[in-house]
Amino acid sequence: MSKCPDCGSTNISEDGFYSEHHKVCVDCGSVLNEGHLTIDYNEGTDVGYSHSTAGKRPCENLIKGLQRVTALCRVLRLNKDTEDLSQTYYKQAYQHSHFIKVSLVKKEAMVGCCVLVSCRQYNWPIAMGSIAGLLEADPLVMSVVYQEMVKLLHIEAPAAGLTDILATFVQDFKIGPSDVPEEFAENNKDLTKRAVALAELAGDSWIVTGRKPLPILMAAIFLAWQSLRPTQIRLKYTLDKFCRLAKVKKNVTAMKRITEIKEVLCKLGKEIPWVVEDVTPYNVMRLVADILENRNALLRSALRSHENTLLPPTLEDSSSGNHIHVEEEAPPPPSQISLQVEQNTPRVEADSLQHVKDPRTGVEQQHDVAASQEKQASPPHWGKRALFAPPCVKNCKVRRVERPVMKEVTGDEDISDSEIDSYLRTPQEVKDFALANNMLHSSEDEQSEED
């Protein structure tokens, strides 16, 4: 029989409280023991909280990132397969050890990288700059994350062609008949065809090499819009006004690409036989249709004309028109060459040195005239001479070369072991030298006997 530990009474009763049962002392009201939800302790097992739940809830940044991926796919109107592939790549990249501790800026750029990879795998042409503009992300950061993600996840993403991206990029320009006045309106199909031809011409003339695609695309579309109907109104329109008219964001670098493409058009326009007037960047837009139609022939003609200008002039007799033939003397034997070099070297060096008086100090100094003339007559870099060359060659930066400091030679300098070894002859070299010396003396003796 149960007994109350406080008062010693045996008057114990069971009290039910909802699903639990307690033993309570009637005399003092103390609770002897509490009931349990399960009477049989073998019915359940002790399970941790993390194991009892269905699964761990994803990270908040991962959830937000997946939502951004979905929103970007909906803006670009991608199909369900591309959207699912983008989310799969984002989960793999987010959980990779390399991207766990990166900044939120890179994780934001990772959203665009996953969508870009998926678009390229499904042959959906879109530029990285377009996605960076939608996300308001830094294109440089996005390019770094894209290269790292493709390398770490072993993704094979085919590169999109410039002409393929151009067809999609033209649709962003609102210059249809229903959007702008008639004098500014242009059909997207005709605009795309002319812009693709200008982009191909830019590729043939090395303008596209190593450049970002968006400035070239915008420059090609702007020049195509001007050249389709080269009226005074369109030719006076600047790129800034055109972007406001088409309701697109202006690219700052596009103006440089426009200037470069116009320079190429002027070079080719000068080769058109029926063009009499001087071709300038202001009137070349009227010749764009003829230039693009005869592009290959004009490129060959421009290169041929440029090569002819670089050739030295031919010596011709002005009176008779016959070429002047110069008789060449036979080269002297090797023995006389070495003698002439020894005799002429001091004289040439003496002639090439002039004593120049410094106006500040009044001290005469030797000035090497031959070296200065050779420096002035040195030909320019081949990128400057070429008609069409890559930008990295044509606009190469001149590296500063540090001139070595001339040290006075006293004869007491230490000689390194490597220099000493260069003066020592190997046994094979000693044998060869002795053999050559014997052959030389024998030939001299034979010659003296014949005389």
Side-chain angles (χ1 to χ4, degrees):
M1 182 177 292
S2 300
K3 183 184 290 188
C4 179
D6 295 335
C7 63
S9 174
T10 58
N11 190 8
I12 305 298
S13 64
E14 292 184 3
D15 186 13
F17 182 75
Y18 293 99
S19 61
E20 297 183 357
H21 299 277
H22 308 281
K23 290 183 178 182
V24 183
C25 179
V26 178
D27 296 336
C28 64
S30 60
V31 180
L32 300 183
N33 61 348
E34 295 180 354
H36 298 277
L37 294 176
T38 57
I39 300 174
D40 189 3
Y41 295 99
N42 296 325
E43 290 182 3
T45 57
D46 296 334
V47 180
Y49 171 76
S50 60
H51 297 285
S52 63
T53 55
K56 292 182 67 176
R57 190 171 184 271
C59 176
E60 291 292 335
N61 292 329
L62 177 59
I63 296 174
K64 292 180 181 179
L66 293 174
Q67 292 175 355
R68 294 278 286 172
V69 170
T70 304
L72 183 60
C73 293
R74 301 288 171 81
V75 170
L76 296 174
R77 296 181 181 179
L78 303 177
N79 53 22
K80 184 65 176 175
D81 297 335
T82 308
E83 182 179 341
D84 294 341
L85 185 61
S86 302
Q87 291 182 352
T88 303
Y89 282 146
Y90 187 81
K91 290 179 182 178
Q92 293 178 3
Y94 192 90
Q95 296 173 357
H96 196 275
S97 58
H98 182 78
F99 296 106
I100 287 179
K101 296 182 180 180
V102 297
S103 61
L104 292 177
V105 177
K106 287 190 174 182
K107 290 182 179 179
E108 183 73 18
M110 195 190 303
V111 173
C113 295
C114 296
V115 176
L116 179 62
V117 169
S118 304
C119 290
R120 290 188 175 180
Q121 289 186 345
Y122 279 98
N123 296 326
W124 184 275
I126 191 170
M128 182 182 294
S130 301
I131 296 180
L134 292 174
L135 294 176
E136 297 182 356
D138 188 2
L140 297 178
V141 177
M142 190 171 175
S143 62
V144 172
V145 175
Y146 178 80
Q147 293 176 0
E148 293 177 353
M149 188 185 72
V150 170
K151 183 179 180 180
L152 294 173
L153 299 182
H154 305 286
I155 301 174
E156 295 181 1
L162 188 65
T163 57
D164 298 332
I165 300 175
L166 185 57
T168 308
F169 191 65
V170 170
Q171 299 177 4
D172 297 340
F173 290 78
K174 308 300 181 183
I175 51 177
S178 59
D179 301 320
V180 294
E182 184 179 358
E183 60 269 16
F184 302 115
E186 202 61 56
N187 187 13
N188 278 348
K189 187 176 180 180
D190 298 336
L191 187 66
T192 303
K193 185 177 179 181
R194 179 62 61 86
V196 167
L198 287 171
E200 291 176 352
L201 177 62
D204 293 341
S205 55
W206 297 94
I207 296 177
V208 181
T209 306
R211 299 287 180 74
K212 296 180 180 180
L214 283 185
I216 298 174
L217 297 179
M218 184 169 287
I221 293 173
F222 174 68
L223 295 177
W225 176 76
Q226 281 188 336
S227 62
L228 285 173
R229 278 195 286 176
T231 59
Q232 289 294 334
I233 300 176
R234 290 196 180 189
L235 293 179
K236 290 182 179 179
Y237 248 64
T238 61
L239 180 63
D240 195 7
K241 291 183 179 180
F242 174 72
C243 292
R244 288 200 300 266
L245 177 69
K247 299 177 182 179
V248 294
K249 185 178 179 181
K250 177 188 173 182
N251 192 293
V252 182
T253 319
M255 199 61 212
K256 296 181 180 179
R257 304 290 92 85
I258 291 173
T259 305
E260 293 173 354
I261 295 175
K262 279 188 175 182
E263 290 178 359
V264 174
L265 291 173
C266 291
K267 293 177 182 178
L268 299 183
K270 294 176 182 178
E271 301 297 326
I272 300 178
W274 57 86
V275 176
V276 183
E277 59 181 357
D278 189 16
V279 180
T280 61
Y282 301 101
N283 60 4
V284 74
M285 302 312 298
R286 297 184 176 91
L287 305 174
V288 171
D290 296 332
I291 292 173
L292 296 179
E293 186 177 357
N294 307 282
R295 182 183 68 190
N296 296 329
L298 293 177
L299 281 171
R300 289 193 297 268
S301 177
L303 291 173
R304 195 181 301 111
S305 302
H306 185 70
E307 290 174 358
N308 292 335
T309 57
L310 297 178
L311 293 176
T314 308
L315 295 177
E316 295 183 354
D317 190 2
S318 59
S319 60
S320 61
N322 299 326
H323 292 278
I324 298 176
H325 297 281
V326 180
E327 295 183 359
E328 296 183 358
E329 297 181 356
S335 59
Q336 295 183 8
I337 292 177
S338 60
L339 183 61
Q340 290 177 0
V341 170
E342 293 177 358
Q343 293 176 355
N344 296 335
T345 300
R347 181 177 57 82
V348 173
E349 292 180 354
D351 293 342
S352 62
L353 295 177
Q354 289 184 356
H355 294 278
V356 180
K357 188 174 182 180
D358 193 350
R360 294 175 296 178
T361 59
V363 180
E364 291 187 353
Q365 297 179 354
Q366 288 184 349
H367 178 64
D368 195 348
V369 180
S372 61
Q373 291 178 354
E374 182 181 357
K375 184 177 180 181
Q376 293 177 358
S378 60
H381 192 265
W382 70 269
K384 303 292 184 181
R385 302 193 307 269
L387 183 63
F388 305 114
C392 60
V393 177
K394 208 164 188 178
N395 304 323
C396 61
K397 297 181 180 179
V398 180
R399 296 183 178 179
R400 183 178 297 177
V401 180
E402 296 182 359
R403 296 182 179 180
V405 181
M406 300 299 294
K407 297 182 180 180
E408 296 182 359
V409 180
T410 60
D412 299 332
E413 290 80 14
D414 296 334
I415 302 176
S416 61
D417 295 338
S418 60
E419 187 177 357
I420 294 176
D421 293 339
S422 64
Y423 295 120
L424 298 178
R425 294 176 180 173
T426 62
Q428 183 64 31
E429 290 177 348
V430 173
K431 292 180 181 179
D432 295 340
F433 179 77
L435 180 61
N437 196 13
N438 293 333
M439 292 176 63
L440 181 62
H441 286 298
S442 61
S443 62
E444 290 178 355
D445 294 341
E446 291 177 358
Q447 188 174 2
S448 61
E449 290 177 359
E450 290 177 357
D451 295 339

